[in-house]
């Protein structure tokens, strides 16, 4: 029989991933709040990237965070994601 802690962590990871996927959907409005390291920034970057891929003008996107450091981190991660996509193969 698997340990209860392992089973609960597996369920938590699956649920978190599903919730993060739903939260990154640009067709819905979300409020992302969670503990440090939970993946909020990744969810926001995924949302913004998906919105840009749908043809939105960057000047029309509003993403709010609490600190300038967090905003700078989001910008860095978004540019890194977009830059990686430009050199990835289409295959």
């Amino acid at each position: 029989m698997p340990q209860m802690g392992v089973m609960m962590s597996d369920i938590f990871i699956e649920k978190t991933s599903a919730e993060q996927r739903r939260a990154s959907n640009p067709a819905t409005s979300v409020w992302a709040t969670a503990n440090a390291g939970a993946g909020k920034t990744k969810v926001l970057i995924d949302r913004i990237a998906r919105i840009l891929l749908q043809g939105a003008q960057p000047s029309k996107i509003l993403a709010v965070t609490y600190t300038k450091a967090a905003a700078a981190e989001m910008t860095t991660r978004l540019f890194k994601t977009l830059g990686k996509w430009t050199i990835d193969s289409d295959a």
Side-chain angles (χ1 to χ4, degrees):
M1 179 174 183
Q3 295 178 354
M4 183 59 152
V6 172
M7 289 176 24
M8 290 303 292
S9 66
D10 290 343
I11 292 169
F12 177 74
I13 290 169
E14 287 178 18
K15 183 177 179 183
T16 300
S17 297
E19 288 176 354
Q20 286 176 327
R21 281 193 301 275
R22 281 194 302 276
S24 70
N25 181 353
T28 61
S29 294
V30 297
W31 179 268
T33 180
N35 294 330
K40 296 178 299 294
T41 301
K42 181 180 181 341
V43 167
L44 290 172
I45 296 308
D46 289 350
R47 282 179 64 86
I48 293 168
R50 289 175 74 181
I51 291 168
L52 290 169
L53 287 171
Q54 291 175 347
Q57 294 297 315
S59 63
K60 300 294 184 183
I61 299 171
L62 173 65
V64 179
T65 188
Y66 290 107
T67 67
K68 288 181 182 179
E73 177 65 19
M74 287 175 57
T75 301
T76 299
R77 288 193 198 183
L78 179 61
F79 286 159
K80 185 176 179 180
T81 298
L82 298 175
K84 183 177 179 263
W85 287 352
T86 63
I87 60 172
D88 280 348
S89 69
D90 290 337

